[in-house]
Amino acid sequence: MTSAVDLDLWLSVLKRIEPKLDRGQFITWFKDTSILGREEGTLVIGLPLPIYLNWHLEHYRSMTLEALQEADATVSKIVYQVDGSLKDDIDRTLKLLEHFPENKKRKLPKKNEVKLAEGLTSKIFNNRYTLENFVVGPGNRLAHAACSAVAAQPGGKYNPLFLYGGVGLGKTHLLQATGNAILRQMPNALMLYTTTEEFTNQVVEAIKTQKMEQFRRRYRQIDVLIIDDVQFLANKDRTQEEFFHTFNALYEDHKQIIISSDRPPEELSGLEDRIVSRFERGMIADIQAPDYETRLAILSEKAREYELFIDAKVLQFIAEHVTKNVRELEGILMQAVAQYELEHRMPTIGSIAEIMQKLHKDPYEDEQQVGFEKQPERAHTFQDILEGVSRYYSVSVQDIIGSSRVREVLIPRQIAMFMSKKHLRMSYVRIGENFSHRDHTTVMHAVDKIDKKLQEDSQMLREVRAIEREIGVAK
Ligand code: ADP
Ligand code: MG
């Protein structure tokens, strides 16, 4: 139960936060929050659902702590706790919202932005993201190396740099880390980091106010352009048009462009071909889900950052059970931190299992951007594919990835390459690396060949289907 004092305190905190957010954000993320309790300087803030946890940690934690400390100087720390009953307490929510009537005229100060030059704003760089604290493993090595190369020589060989990978695998981290690294060497560079959404808003605004010329001129002064989640450009024709011209102008001036997307360029449907082919001209690097060792290393790194002493066995347990997404790994660790700070309970395998159960009540992945097409089902790992193909054709994995040119292994090898592309969306370069460092053009050729054969060769189609069923990717 929240005490009257805590309610007042929370209201005054929300009053400080509300003007900094737009209304939709404020309502969505704060209407079902509350103070659940406190212990000395630590305040426990209740959130209605597990998905709020990461969002608050990432976007609102420092803002909330700051507001709290303004209202009550004895608060030194906040921790979050998920409490499902907050979501159902409609009366409480309505009462709370009465304090925040809608004011249509309110102009938003955009606190998370920084002005670069007249009419040019960038989102703020989060200096928590660096190239040094990004843990490198087989799934992201190429992407990290490419970012480091770009940071060393912006506008050089790797331009544009296009990173792609699933949600929560570190794209935004790498983008911002690269930006941070460039800014360290060139503090005066005009570096603009934006999301596709924000870019679109600006184009629309410029069209509305008939300031397109000005918009173009401004964007062309930029030294480094970083655009996150470019898949959202799909089907926005006018924005694509402007993007294309900005892109070309910067590219011709040897200005570095860095882009992220949830899928490779060739799969960006709804995007004009000429834009896709611009992307393909540069360096493309994929990010795959981390393997066990990398997950474990990421956990140790995060535990170190949060100064959490945690038993190696417990970290191993988390790394074994949370496999899809780094954000989720982090979320679980943060809950363990909260538990430790509140109850002085050292995380154990048992307590972590409890946390995981709580978090998984909700389909955690659905936190991902709304309106997203569902990803096709995928084999879990490259190893699954190799083993599936190996079993089916009775050819050893060694032979499949090896360099033997014996006829019996050629087709299985090409099928394994094809399946790596289809189900894991690995880049041609990476597939090549995994098959005894073959050139990416060899891989492209193999994938193409199997793709074509499957249209006409029903025997091969049956075989591939059987393997897909075996490894659990058949529809
Ligand atoms: P994306 O933009 O791909 O959805 P993010 O960059 O937001 O993913 O990553 C989600 C979280 O996981 C961030 O807090 C980020 O710091 C962390 N993260 C992801 N990959 C790594 C890694 N290899 N090493 C350290 N932290 C990582
Ligand atoms: Mg992101």
Side-chain angles (χ1 to χ4, degrees):
M1 215 35 248
T2 313
S3 74
V5 180
D6 283 346
L7 181 62
D8 282 348
L9 175 58
W10 194 232
L11 277 176
S12 70
V13 166
L14 295 183
K15 287 250 156 83
R16 287 177 164 87
I17 291 178
E18 190 222 15
K20 297 182 180 164
L21 304 182
D22 74 42
R23 185 156 179 89
Q25 283 172 346
F26 177 74
I27 303 285
T28 309
W29 298 107
F30 286 93
K31 76 177 175 4
D32 295 322
T33 58
S34 169
I35 293 180
L36 292 182
R38 67 158 80 200
E39 189 176 306
E40 288 161 20
T42 303
L43 215 75
V44 189
I45 295 171
L47 302 175
L49 291 168
I51 57 166
Y52 280 60
L53 186 68
N54 285 312
W55 196 262
H56 272 262
L57 285 172
E58 207 165 301
H59 300 278
Y60 303 133
R61 176 151 72 172
S62 54
M63 189 188 285
T64 306
L65 181 62
E66 220 168 82
L68 261 168
Q69 290 174 329
E70 277 170 33
D72 177 349
T74 65
V75 176
S76 58
K77 209 180 233 183
I78 53 178
V79 294
Y80 291 102
Q81 212 173 36
V82 176
D83 177 351
S85 71
L86 287 171
K87 163 169 92 300
D88 308 318
D89 195 350
I90 308 284
D91 286 345
R92 209 195 113 274
T93 301
L94 288 177
K95 271 209 208 90
L96 186 94
L97 288 179
E98 277 172 15
H99 295 272
F100 301 95
E102 186 161 16
N103 174 0
K104 292 232 165 66
K105 286 209 280 302
R106 194 161 59 95
K107 196 80 182 129
L108 291 167
K110 290 213 165 158
K111 268 296 180 59
N112 58 349
E113 293 187 342
V114 34
K115 188 167 163 181
L116 297 178
E118 193 48 46
L120 262 188
T121 49
S122 168
K123 291 202 175 272
I124 281 183
F125 282 85
N126 184 342
N127 46 24
R128 198 165 68 84
Y129 295 141
T130 65
L131 288 172
E132 292 76 29
N133 72 4
F134 187 82
V135 176
V136 179
N140 60 29
R141 180 163 289 128
L142 184 65
H144 182 264
C147 287
S148 307
V150 164
Q153 203 196 359
K157 238 182 1 192
Y158 296 149
N159 200 20
L161 171 61
F162 185 102
L163 299 184
Y164 73 89
V167 175
L169 296 183
K171 299 183 295 298
T172 298
H173 185 135
L174 279 177
L175 251 46
Q176 294 223 355
T178 310
N180 280 327
I182 296 175
L183 272 182
R184 239 180 291 148
Q185 305 158 43
M186 311 198 287
N188 297 325
L190 269 192
M191 161 135 36
L192 194 139
Y193 170 80
T194 189
T195 57
T196 304
E197 213 181 347
E198 186 54 40
F199 185 79
T200 305
N201 289 342
Q202 291 184 7
V203 171
V204 171
E205 183 62 29
I207 295 172
K208 217 165 62 189
T209 53
Q210 304 193 319
K211 298 216 167 105
M212 216 53 237
E213 260 316 303
Q214 207 180 43
F215 172 90
R216 286 182 192 151
R217 263 201 322 274
R218 285 172 175 166
Y219 260 82
R220 269 147 227 196
Q221 324 163 52
I222 296 171
D223 297 314
V224 180
L225 176 65
I226 307 183
I227 300 200
D228 212 347
D229 289 323
V230 84
Q231 70 273 9
F232 292 123
L233 263 186
N235 302 320
K236 294 181 180 138
D237 295 347
R238 190 58 210 273
T239 310
Q240 286 191 26
E241 176 81 24
E242 283 316 316
F243 176 79
F244 181 74
H245 291 301
T246 303
F247 183 103
N248 281 343
L250 294 176
Y251 180 80
E252 270 151 31
D253 265 357
H254 303 284
K255 304 295 179 61
Q256 181 68 44
I257 300 163
I258 313 175
I259 293 156
S260 85
S261 154
D262 69 342
R263 63 200 79 179
E266 70 260 28
E267 287 179 26
L268 283 165
S269 52
L271 217 64
E272 290 177 38
D273 289 347
R274 58 180 185 167
I275 295 184
V276 171
S277 71
R278 286 296 187 279
F279 291 163
E280 285 173 337
R281 215 194 250 180
M283 170 72 188
I284 302 178
D286 65 330
I287 308 183
Q288 299 287 332
D291 60 7
Y292 171 76
E293 286 76 12
T294 312
R295 296 198 296 275
L296 194 57
I298 291 174
L299 282 167
S300 314
E301 168 66 23
K302 301 283 169 186
R304 202 186 54 74
E305 278 174 28
Y306 294 114
E307 297 175 351
L308 179 73
F309 294 98
I310 189 162
D311 194 87
K313 285 225 175 53
V314 175
L315 291 184
Q316 285 161 12
F317 179 78
I318 304 177
E320 272 161 27
H321 288 88
V322 181
T323 55
K324 279 191 218 133
N325 159 339
V326 179
R327 194 172 294 152
E328 195 172 344
L329 275 181
E330 239 183 332
I332 289 178
L333 202 65
M334 292 315 296
Q335 284 277 312
V337 174
Q339 200 173 50
Y340 175 68
E341 286 178 344
L342 282 174
E343 306 164 18
H344 303 292
R345 246 211 303 169
M346 280 305 267
T348 60
I349 287 181
S351 71
I352 295 285
E354 246 171 63
I355 292 173
M356 287 200 303
Q357 229 168 13
K358 249 199 268 172
L359 295 181
H360 282 291
K361 265 200 313 210
D362 253 80
Y364 212 71
E365 307 89 83
D366 287 352
E367 133 194 19
Q368 274 109 69
Q369 286 93 336
V370 190
F372 233 52
E373 41 176 285
K374 256 194 103 110
Q375 300 270 327
E377 216 177 341
R378 295 181 186 188
H380 299 297
T381 63
F382 180 60
Q383 199 63 27
D384 291 342
I385 289 178
L386 287 183
E387 282 169 11
V389 173
S390 154
R391 270 197 306 274
Y392 189 84
Y393 289 112
S394 307
V395 180
S396 77
V397 168
Q398 274 321 310
D399 282 341
I400 293 175
I401 59 175
S403 48
S404 153
R405 312 234 2 118
V406 181
R407 262 197 95 245
E408 283 72 19
V409 305
L410 283 185
I411 292 290
R413 180 180 297 147
Q414 289 171 342
I415 286 179
M417 289 176 172
F418 170 80
M419 290 177 75
S420 305
K421 186 74 200 163
K422 178 173 171 200
H423 297 295
L424 299 175
R425 299 186 179 189
M426 288 163 74
S427 67
Y428 294 121
V429 174
R430 180 177 296 281
I431 297 173
E433 278 173 8
N434 282 297
F435 286 84
S436 307
H437 297 279
R438 282 184 168 76
D439 193 73
H440 72 279
T441 53
T442 312
V443 179
M444 245 149 107
H445 175 76
V447 171
D448 250 330
K449 181 176 147 194
I450 299 297
D451 200 5
K452 289 219 180 72
K453 267 202 119 151
L454 290 178
Q455 320 285 334
E456 51 203 41
D457 183 342
S458 64
Q459 173 60 26
M460 182 180 282
L461 188 62
R462 263 198 304 280
E463 294 173 1
V464 169
R465 289 263 164 84
I467 301 170
E468 288 177 333
R469 262 197 310 279
E470 261 283 302
I471 61 177
V473 292
K475 305 271 147 43

